[in-house]
Amino acid sequence: MTIEIYSPNLNVSEQFAKAIEKKILALSHLGKVSRAEVFLTIDHALPKESKVCKIRLDIPGDTLFVHKNGISSENAVTAAVKILKRLLKKTTEHRNEPRDEIISKK
């Protein structure tokens, strides 16, 4: 899995980048994630929750995208990963459900 972190308006420390990677890698046990992109920005229009985290996960046959605001970048990333975890569980459970069978009587 490749993990890319983009932060055009923020200086992200190496320690924080590794923490983000660790959280994203923890999602991989829920489903096959081929690529993750994390975007960290600042939204100056918001007074309190101005830090924004957008995460895009590419999984086979689908793409999951979450956009979350927070007081700090850490809070925004944690909230986004929590939502992605729930979405990834739902997506993999839905795919593993048996399909309805059509039975025709002759």
Side-chain angles (χ1 to χ4, degrees), residues 6-96:
Y6 303 101
S7 58
N9 302 339
L10 294 171
N11 292 330
V12 176
S13 68
E14 190 174 324
Q15 182 180 6
F16 183 46
K18 287 187 181 197
I20 293 171
E21 289 177 6
K22 184 176 178 182
K23 289 181 182 196
I24 298 295
L25 285 172
L27 294 174
S28 65
H29 78 278
L30 297 172
K32 185 173 169 82
V33 179
S34 58
R35 183 177 183 191
E37 292 178 339
V38 181
F39 301 92
L40 300 171
T41 59
I42 298 174
D43 188 353
H44 296 290
L46 301 172
K48 283 189 174 183
E49 297 184 348
S50 63
K51 304 295 192 273
V52 178
C53 175
K54 300 175 187 177
I55 302 177
R56 178 181 165 207
L57 285 184
D58 290 334
I59 58 175
D62 206 359
T63 300
L64 303 177
F65 186 80
V66 172
H67 175 235
K68 203 67 184 154
N69 299 345
I71 295 172
S72 68
S73 296
E74 292 85 0
N75 289 349
V77 168
T78 301
V81 168
K82 186 176 180 180
I83 292 170
L84 274 174
K85 185 175 184 178
R86 187 169 34 96
L87 282 174
L88 196 56
K89 278 183 184 178
K90 285 175 89 173
T91 304
T92 54
E93 287 173 3
H94 178 68
R95 288 189 178 168
N96 292 336

